[in-house]
Structure formats: structure tokens, C-alpha cells
């Protein structure tokens, strides 16, 4: 427009057709060019329409020009409506509109339609990535280095993943079965899931915990680095290396005193480990016979959880059946022309979304039941070998093991106070209780 206005002589602006000129009659640029043509400063030429707009055109030609602009606007709006309907149908069908996330690849289904399938070269690494991060023992950077060692590369250019790429994967709900759009939020997709929602939620909890509780970086590895807090002020306990004149090296911890309310008091790493060794010693004293008794005892104490689990399964099945019945009645009403197609589509989508969410919830409960059946014996096996595992580990591995074992460890003065995470707290409790078999009884009273 500026170029046209700067011309001292009359110029011609050429278009193929009117709909190439504009598809919005309310566009200010349309009115500006039209007014310049009416003022005989320019001419508008539409070659394929065999139309010239200038100051001498007749009322009929103006009318035809206006009609062509209106038709162009209608054409544009019709395309927009078609695209919106197409996108909405794809969303209702659970189809993803963008490119496949890392770990998936494009393929064709049996009907010849585009679909996404797990990438055989990368999907298992994505699953491993979530499992590793959920332990809380990996930062985004250390996790990135680990998956690079496993061979994770971008599918097109073969580049190593960046830190932001790892962060994006951990935050993407697509992997547990839910796609996301800014307009509609989360909705179930039709493609194969790589992880469970439980694992995804656990990773998000770890990420949030790391975001709000970041320990200061220390180059050397220490057993309690980032694990301990001062009971008085809540600040992190930081390690220091002290060298004696004899050449011996000792590690001491003290409050970082970030709130300036504590008096610096040092406690040796050896002293902090003493109650840990006592716990591990108790675990190592569990015999196989005791383990069998404890497994049975644990299952009895979790009877309420089993009842709750079964109740949830029944609830999901009942809700699923009711929704299917409602959807069937809805279809009959539509076929009988008792309701319009718009009402049917809206309610059908509502029922479909609820059914998909119930399916996801059912899968989570079924997996939880499977995990329960297979994990009980594993927990006791780990507990019995805990001292051996801890003693033969590197400082970073010991820290990971303590993070797995301890809950809310704090230092009060020169004393380490903590509780054991579930289910190890229950294992320790049951291991010291009289059992009902042979040499022990379950109820001493």
C-alpha cells in the first residue's frame, strides 16, 4: 500500500481473481484500494474474471464486484467451518492432529488411514526414562546423559536429545493415553500407551519436589547430599571434608543456616550412619521362615486395601455398564428422530470421554493389583539384603538407596531422626513382632 501511495503516476494492481484480492470484505486494505480506484488514482485488474475496477465502472459492475467479494468471503468461511468440523471429528475419534511424540512413529492401519505406533528403536527407552526419573535419583541432565548412552536420538536428523527435550517428554500426557489441546484440554487418544498414569503422576511429583527443593550443587558425591534438613530451621544440611593432621579424611555435615537462626554445629557422617546400620542389621536378621510368616501377616494387614480395590473395580464396571446403556438409548432416540444430530453428537462424545477415562482408571487398578501380588515377596527380599546392598554401593548409590528407604530425615542437634518409607516401616514392625508359627506367636496376649 505504501508503495502504491508513493507513485506519482496512475498504476495498475493486477490479480488473478477477486477471491485472490481478499476473502474478507471487512479488511481495511480492501476499502483503501477500492477508494483509490474510485478516485482514479489506480486501477484494479482481475484477469480471469475479465473485470477492471476504476472510477468509470457502472453500478452493475460495482454490484458484481461486491457479489464476488461476498462469495469469496463465503468460500473462506465454508473452508474454515469444514476444517473445524474435521478437527472436531478427529478429536472425537481420539486422533492426534500433530506430529508423533518422541517414541512413536507414523504408520498405516488396516483401513489405510494414518496412525501412530510405538517406535521400536525408541519406545522402550522412553519407558525406561520415566521409570528412572520416578525414583527421584536423576536430574534432567543426568537422565539425559543416561538415555544418550542407551542410544536415544532424534528420528530425523539423529541428534542427541537436549535437556528441554527430556523435560518435555516427562511432562507429556500422551504417553499414558491422553492427548492435549489448548482449546479442549485433555482428551483420550486411540493409540497404544507406553506408560501408566500412575507412573506419569509419580514423575510429575518428583519434578515438582525438585523444583521447590533444590540442593546446592556439590561436585563430590556424598551419601547424605540433599537428603537431610535441619529440624530447627528446615534448611539443608551441607557436607564438608575435614582433613586431620594424620592425613585421615572425614566428612561432616552442618546446617547451611540460610535463615540465619541456627548456630553451626558439625556432626560426622559416621555418626549419622549409626542408626541406619542398626535398621539394616534388623532387616538382615529376617530368616526365610520369618519372611513367609511376614508375607502372610502383611497380606492380612492390607485386607482393607484389598476390599477397597475390589470395590473400586466393581464401581468402574457398574459405571461403564450404565454409560454404555445410556449411549445405546441415545442412539435409539437419534434413529427414532426424537433428538437432533447435534444433541446426539454432543451427548455421545460426553459418554465416550467418560468411558475412556473409566478404561484408564480400570487399567491402573488392575496394574496396582498385579504389582501388589508380585511386590510383597520382593520387598522382603530387598529388606533382608539391604545391609549387603548398602555396604557394597558407591556414595551416589547409597544416597539413592537411602532416598528409597528413609522418609523425612532430619538432624536435631547431633541426632538423625527419620521414619521408614512404606512398606519397609511395616516390614520392620512385623519382623520384631512375635509370629504365630513355631517359635513365635502372632498375638503374645
Amino acid at each position: 500500500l505504501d508503495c502504491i501511495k508513493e507513485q506519482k503516476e496512475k498504476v495498475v494492481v493486477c490479480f488473478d481473481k477477486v477471491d485472490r484480492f481478499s476473502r474478507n470484505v471487512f479488511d481495511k486494505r480492501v476499502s483503501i484500494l477500492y477508494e483509490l480506484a474510485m478516485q482514479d488514482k489506480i486501477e484494479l485488474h482481475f484477469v480471469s474474471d475479465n473485470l477492471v475496477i476504476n472510477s468509470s465502472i457502472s453500478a452493475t459492475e460495482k454490484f458484481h464486484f461486491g457479489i464476488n467479494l461476498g462469495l469469496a468471503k463465503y468460500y473462506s468461511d465454508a473452508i474454515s467451518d469444514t476444517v473445524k468440523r474435521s478437527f472436531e471429528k478427529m478429536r472425537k475419534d481420539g486422533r492426534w492432529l500433530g506430529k508423533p511424540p518422541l517414541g512413536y512413529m507414523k504408520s498405516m492401519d488396516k483401513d489405510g488411514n494414518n496412525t501412530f505406533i510405538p517406535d521400536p528403536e525408541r519406545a522402550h527407552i522412553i519407558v525406561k526414562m520415566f521409570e528412572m526419573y520416578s525414583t527421584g535419583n536423576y536430574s534432567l541432565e543426568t537422565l539425559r546423559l543416561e538415555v544418550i548412552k542407551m542410544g536415544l536420538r532424534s528420528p530425523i536428523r539423529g541428534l542427541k536429545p537436549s535437556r528441554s527435550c527430556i523435560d518435555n517428554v516427562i511432562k507429556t500426557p500422551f504417553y499414558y493415553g491422553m492427548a492435549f489441546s489448548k482449546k479442549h484440554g485433555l482428551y483420550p487418544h486411540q493409540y497404544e500407551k507406553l506408560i501408566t498414569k500412575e507412573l506419569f503422576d509419580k514423575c510429575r511429583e518428583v519434578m515438582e519436589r525438585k523444583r521447590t527443593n533444590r540442593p546446592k550443587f556439590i561436585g563430590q558425591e556424598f551419601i547424605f547430599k540433599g537428603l537431610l534438613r535441619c529440624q530447627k530451621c528446615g534448611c539443608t544440611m551441607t557436607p564438608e571434608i575435614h582433613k586431620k593432621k594424620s592425613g585421615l579424611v572425614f566428612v561432616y555435615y552442618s546446617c547451611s543456616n540460610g535463615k540465619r537462626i541456627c548456630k553451626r554445629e558439625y556432626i560426622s557422617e559416621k555418626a549419622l550412619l549409626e542408626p541406619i546400620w542398626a535398621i539394616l542389621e534388623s532387616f538382615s536378621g529376617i530368616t526365610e521362615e520369618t519372611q513367609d510368616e511376614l508375607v502372610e501377616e502383611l497380606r492380612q494387614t492390607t485386607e482393607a486395601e484389598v476390599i477397597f480395590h475390589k470395590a473400586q473395580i466393581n464401581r468402574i464396571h457398574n459405571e461403564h455398564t450404565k454409560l454404555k446403556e445410556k449411549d445405546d438409548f441415545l442412539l435409539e432416540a437419534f434413529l427414532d428422530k426424537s433428538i437432533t444430530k447435534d444433541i446426539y453428537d454432543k451427548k455421545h462424545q460426553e459418554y465416550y470421554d467418560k468411558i475412556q477415562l473409566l478404561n484408564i482408571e480400570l487399567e491402573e487398578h488392575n496394574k496396582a493389583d498385579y504389582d501388589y501380588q508380585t511386590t510383597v515377596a520382593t520387598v522382603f527380599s530387598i529388606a533382608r539384603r539391604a545391609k549387603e546392598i548398602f555396604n557394597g554401593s558407591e556414595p551416589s548409590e547409597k544416597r539413592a538407596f537411602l532416598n528409597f528407604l528413609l522418609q523425612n530425615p532430619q538432624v536435631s542437634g547431633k541426632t538423625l531422626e527419620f521414619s521408614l518409607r512404606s512398606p519397609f516401616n511395616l516390614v520392620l514392625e512385623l519382623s520384631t513382632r512375635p509370629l504365630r508359627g513355631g517359635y513365635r506367636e502372632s498375638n503374645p496376649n
Side-chain angles (χ1 to χ4, degrees):
L1 288 176
D2 291 337
C3 178
I4 292 172
K5 291 177 181 178
E6 291 172 358
Q7 301 302 316
K8 296 181 180 180
E9 297 180 357
K10 185 177 180 179
V11 297
V12 175
V13 184
C14 297
F15 300 89
D16 178 32
K17 297 181 179 180
V18 173
D19 65 5
R20 298 293 88 194
F21 172 45
S22 175
R23 289 184 175 174
N24 183 2
V25 293
F26 304 107
D27 192 330
K28 292 182 179 180
R29 294 167 295 182
V30 174
S31 61
I32 290 174
L33 288 172
Y34 182 76
E35 287 301 322
L36 289 174
M38 293 299 100
Q39 296 169 11
D40 205 31
K41 294 181 179 180
I42 66 171
E43 285 187 357
L44 302 177
H45 287 221
F46 303 95
V47 181
S48 295
D49 291 335
N50 195 25
L51 178 64
V52 175
I53 302 299
N54 54 35
S55 60
S56 61
I57 62 172
S58 65
T60 303
E61 290 174 319
K62 289 181 180 180
F63 176 75
H64 286 166
F65 179 66
I67 290 296
N68 286 336
L69 280 177
L71 290 174
K73 179 68 168 62
Y74 168 77
Y75 179 74
S76 177
D77 291 344
I79 290 178
S80 177
D81 290 343
T82 302
V83 171
K84 289 179 181 178
R85 284 196 298 269
S86 177
F87 282 180
E88 180 65 17
K89 185 178 186 305
M90 293 177 71
R91 188 187 70 84
K92 290 180 178 179
D93 293 341
R95 296 170 63 187
W96 179 243
L97 308 180
K99 65 180 181 179
L102 186 63
Y104 287 87
M105 60 185 295
K106 287 186 177 181
S107 182
M108 301 287 286
D109 61 20
K110 59 182 180 180
D111 298 323
N113 299 319
N114 290 327
T115 187
F116 296 156
I117 61 173
D119 187 338
E121 294 183 7
R122 298 172 181 84
H124 66 285
I125 301 180
I126 298 297
V127 175
K128 188 66 177 177
M129 185 191 302
F130 277 96
E131 292 174 347
M132 294 168 66
Y133 192 77
S134 68
T135 64
N137 300 323
Y138 293 86
S139 65
L140 292 175
E141 179 60 22
T142 56
L143 182 62
R144 185 183 78 88
L145 296 177
E146 289 296 323
V147 296
I148 287 176
K149 291 179 183 178
M150 296 178 190
L152 184 62
R153 300 291 188 275
S154 63
I156 299 177
R157 301 176 62 186
L159 300 177
K160 296 179 181 179
S162 63
R163 185 180 179 277
S164 61
C165 173
I166 303 299
D167 180 66
N168 184 60
V169 168
I170 298 298
K171 293 178 179 178
T172 301
F174 192 95
Y175 297 103
Y176 77 85
M178 299 296 288
F180 175 80
S181 72
K182 292 182 179 180
K183 181 178 181 180
H184 301 285
L186 290 174
Y187 65 91
H189 66 67
Q190 62 177 242
Y191 312 108
E192 182 178 343
K193 292 174 285 187
L194 296 185
I195 63 171
T196 64
K197 186 176 185 300
E198 179 185 18
L199 179 57
F200 179 82
D201 289 341
K202 191 171 183 181
C203 288
R204 292 308 301 269
E205 290 173 5
V206 170
M207 182 171 287
E208 181 63 22
R209 187 168 67 246
K210 287 179 178 292
R211 186 184 68 82
T212 57
N213 181 25
R214 294 183 178 179
K216 294 182 179 179
F217 175 77
I218 302 175
Q220 185 170 338
E221 294 289 353
F222 295 94
I223 295 177
F224 290 101
K225 182 180 74 173
L227 293 183
L228 305 180
R229 289 194 167 274
C230 173
Q231 189 181 65
K232 182 178 180 181
C233 69
C235 294
T236 304
M237 300 290 293
T238 57
E240 297 178 13
I241 296 178
H242 290 197
K243 293 184 179 180
K244 303 295 184 181
K245 293 182 180 180
S246 60
L248 295 176
V249 177
F250 298 90
V251 178
Y252 286 85
Y253 290 78
S254 63
C255 177
S256 59
N257 198 21
K259 299 180 181 178
R260 300 292 187 270
I261 61 175
C262 284
K263 179 181 178 182
R264 176 149 292 193
E265 191 172 7
Y266 290 94
I267 177 173
S268 68
E269 189 173 81
K270 182 179 180 181
L272 291 171
L273 284 172
E274 287 179 0
I276 305 296
W277 287 116
I279 294 294
L280 300 182
E281 189 68 36
S282 299
F283 283 150
S284 63
I286 301 175
T287 64
E288 289 190 16
E289 182 179 2
T290 304
Q291 175 180 320
D292 294 338
E293 294 278 0
L294 291 176
V295 170
E296 179 61 27
E297 188 80 9
L298 179 60
R299 288 183 174 173
Q300 290 182 9
T301 59
T302 55
E303 182 178 352
E305 295 181 11
V306 174
I307 294 174
F308 172 78
H309 167 77
K310 292 181 178 179
Q312 293 301 306
I313 295 292
N314 291 334
R315 174 187 63 79
I316 293 171
H317 282 306
N318 290 336
E319 291 184 11
H320 190 280
T321 301
K322 290 179 181 178
L323 286 171
K324 287 293 292 180
E325 290 176 351
K326 288 182 179 180
D327 198 37
D328 291 340
F329 289 145
L330 184 69
L331 179 60
E332 291 180 5
F334 172 65
L335 295 176
D336 292 340
K337 298 183 179 180
S338 301
I339 58 175
T340 64
K341 187 176 185 304
D342 289 340
I343 295 177
Y344 170 77
D345 288 342
K346 182 178 179 180
K347 294 299 294 184
H348 172 70
Q349 183 62 41
E350 179 184 334
Y351 294 150
Y352 175 81
D353 290 345
K354 289 181 179 179
I355 288 173
Q356 294 304 311
L357 291 174
L358 285 175
N359 289 337
I360 293 174
E361 187 179 358
L362 179 62
E363 182 177 332
E364 295 299 319
H365 279 290
N366 287 335
K367 186 177 186 304
D369 181 57
Y370 173 80
D371 287 345
Y372 169 76
Q373 298 294 337
T374 58
T375 301
V376 173
T378 304
V379 168
F380 285 106
S381 177
I382 292 175
R384 290 176 57 201
R385 296 184 297 109
K387 183 178 179 181
E388 175 187 346
I389 294 172
F390 189 79
N391 195 35
S393 302
E394 297 295 326
S396 60
E397 295 170 334
K398 288 181 179 179
R399 183 175 68 253
F401 189 84
L402 291 180
N403 189 40
F404 183 64
L405 188 68
L406 306 183
Q407 179 172 287
N408 194 29
Q410 296 180 339
V411 177
S412 176
K414 292 192 175 183
T415 304
L416 175 63
E417 298 182 358
F418 61 89
S419 56
L420 294 179
R421 292 187 185 275
S422 178
F424 293 102
N425 58 339
L426 187 57
V427 173
L428 184 64
E429 178 186 346
L430 295 178
S431 67
T432 57
R433 286 169 53 186
L435 299 174
R436 58 174 174 266
Y439 57 91
R440 292 184 181 182
E441 295 180 357
S442 60
N443 187 353
N445 297 325

